[in-house]
Amino acid sequence: MTSPRDIQTFSRMLASQGPEAALAYLNDAVPHRYSAIYRVDGGMLRNIFLHDKKHETRPEFLAVVPFEVSFCQFVLRDGAFQTSDSGGDSRLDGHPYQGVMVSYHGVPLTDAAGALIGTLCHFDVVAHGLADEEFDLLQRAGRVLPEYLPPPAA
């Protein structure tokens, strides 16, 4: 992208073009194949927006993920979660997706009352680090994004 990588650019894009374009903006400068927004729905996490660098149809296994096997659970528990190579990350020992979903960097999404409603994340099936400035942008984006999301499905 030619524009500066900052929260102001992200916010302008979000306001003028919506969450899908803003998600693509976030994904543009990271090595991860996927960037996504998941909404908590009871014991499940529902993907509401997904950007895929390969522009392929969303795989079914990414559409709805049981909370207890998601990496998003750690975001909601700890306030953020990052692993560049889950296969070697002892925090994930015994997790069914350890070494399967290899890199994951996520931040929480909260509603106006401060309740956790979901996650914003970059992830891939291969190992990738995430530059500190990009994780900072992800965190800032997570604070402004919720007001632009569609309401939960009834």
Side-chain angles (χ1 to χ4, degrees), residues 125-144:
V125 296
V126 297
H128 294 296
L130 186 66
D132 290 343
E133 56 273 5
E134 289 300 327
F135 189 70
D136 180 62
L137 179 58
L138 191 69
Q139 288 179 306
R140 291 170 182 259
R143 292 191 283 271
V144 299

Side-chain angles (χ1 to χ4, degrees), residues 76-144:
L76 300 180
R77 182 191 71 194
D78 300 335
F81 186 74
Q82 297 190 75
T83 185
S84 297
D85 185 353
S86 69
D89 191 330
S90 63
R91 298 174 299 169
L92 297 168
D93 285 351
H95 191 283
Y97 288 115
Q98 183 180 27
V100 177
M101 190 55 64
V102 180
S103 57
Y104 177 94
H105 303 268
V107 298
L109 299 174
T110 58
D111 65 15
L116 292 167
I117 60 169
T119 60
L120 170 62
C121 53
H122 299 305
F123 58 94
D124 208 326
V125 296
V126 297
H128 294 296
L130 186 66
D132 290 343
E133 56 273 5
E134 289 300 327
F135 189 70
D136 180 62
L137 179 58
L138 191 69
Q139 288 179 306
R140 291 170 182 259
R143 292 191 283 271
V144 299

